[in-house]
Amino acid sequence: MDIVLTNDDGIESPGLAALYESLSAVADVTAVAPASDMSATGRALSREVTVDEHDLGYAVHGTPADCVVAALESLAPDPDLVVSGCNRGGNLGMYVLGRSGTVSAAVEAAFFDVPAISVSLTLTSEDFAGGATPKSDYSEAAAATTYLVEETLDSGVFERADYLNVNAPRPGTETGELSVTTPTHGYDMTVERDGAHLRLEDRMWRRMDEGIVADEPDDSDLRAVVEGRTSVSPLTAPHTTEHHEVLDALAETY
């Protein structure tokens, strides 16, 4: 099995190293990842990028989407699977998916018709502010990802899902369970204004900090990680269309 491994935290990140080590036991892995931290860049794309050879593969001076395009078109074409991660911090909720560079790399692969898995490690805001997360903290995320890589390609999962979004629970809270989930639909962005200064806050972090899941359905990705389970959401690439008879009538009367 040939795997392209990318991320948005950068090719030197412990999360990528953890996945590279675990996946290399079951596949030939080529890392094609950003040379530096490119978090929260979504599917931003560059017109030109430079690339350096790296012990794990290639370091691309660009975004996660750049990395996937560069890999599949030039650097490591025709892989069986693209894996993106492991991200430092959860990627939970429907509204976060398009913002996340980690998830967007998987979406980019989906447009190439290559199955993909995005992987993130849930942290609290205190964890995130406390400095680098050691590679050992990514062990559950790496184990779940390796299991999914081994079991899903020939199972038919990717006949209905374009990519899987995996979120491992906070280190030390793991139950060892894997739950199939859907991204929570709540929207948790707020703005505080102080004169000309606007502070944008994603309250999803507060919900993870405080374990707030009272209104979450049983299959919520947030509920799963708060309860110590690894969440896996089977998703399709965006921009799907749906027929609307009302819109047909509006078009006819234009």
Side-chain angles (χ1 to χ4, degrees):
M1 191 189 312
D2 292 320
I3 292 177
V4 167
L5 177 63
T6 190
N7 71 348
D8 71 359
D9 289 337
I11 198 165
E12 300 293 345
S13 71
L16 184 138
L19 285 188
Y20 187 93
E21 182 178 302
S22 183
L23 293 173
S24 291
V26 300
D28 292 326
V29 183
T30 303
V32 184
S36 59
D37 189 344
M38 298 296 290
S39 296
T41 53
R43 289 184 63 220
L45 199 67
S46 307
R47 291 181 65 87
E48 294 184 5
V49 295
T50 57
V51 60
D52 300 322
E53 292 191 3
H54 188 278
D55 290 344
L56 304 183
Y58 302 93
V60 176
H61 295 267
T63 67
D66 292 335
C67 292
V68 173
V69 174
L72 301 188
E73 283 289 306
S74 177
L75 300 175
D78 301 319
D80 297 293
L81 187 73
V82 169
V83 176
S84 180
C86 182
N87 190 64
R88 182 172 177 259
N91 278 303
L92 302 159
M94 190 67 69
Y95 72 102
V96 172
L97 299 179
R99 176 190 309 156
S100 163
T102 303
V103 176
S104 292
V107 172
E108 200 71 34
F111 283 111
F112 281 88
D113 291 324
V114 176
I117 302 175
S118 56
V119 191
S120 302
L121 175 66
T122 305
L123 299 173
T124 64
S125 54
E126 183 179 355
D127 296 332
F128 201 81
T133 304
K135 187 173 74 170
S136 59
D137 281 359
Y138 294 90
S139 58
E140 180 67 19
T145 304
T146 303
Y147 171 79
L148 290 169
V149 165
E150 288 188 284
E151 299 296 332
T152 56
L153 276 183
D154 295 326
S155 68
V157 164
F158 289 109
E159 292 176 8
R160 299 189 62 183
D162 293 325
Y163 68 102
L164 306 178
N165 185 39
V166 176
N167 282 276
R170 185 187 185 200
T173 67
E174 309 95 329
T175 65
E177 298 178 48
L178 186 70
S179 294
V180 179
T181 62
T182 58
T184 182
H185 284 264
Y187 186 73
D188 278 328
M189 294 300 302
T190 61
V191 173
E192 294 181 3
R193 182 175 181 179
D194 182 9
H197 180 73
L198 298 176
R199 182 176 183 272
L200 282 67
E201 180 185 3
D202 185 354
R203 292 185 299 180
M204 179 66 76
W205 284 91
R206 186 179 302 174
R207 297 181 71 191
M208 289 187 287
D209 290 349
E210 300 175 7
I212 300 173
V213 294
D215 297 327
E216 291 292 317
D218 291 341
D219 66 347
S220 160
D221 56 357
L222 177 61
R223 176 179 288 278
V225 297
V226 165
E227 294 178 351
R229 294 173 278 124
T230 295
S231 161
V232 53
S233 298
L235 301 172
T236 56
H239 314 308
T240 55
T241 59
E242 184 177 344
H243 186 74
H244 292 273
E245 293 181 357
V246 173
L247 188 58
D248 288 343
L250 291 175
E252 290 175 3
T253 58
Y254 175 70

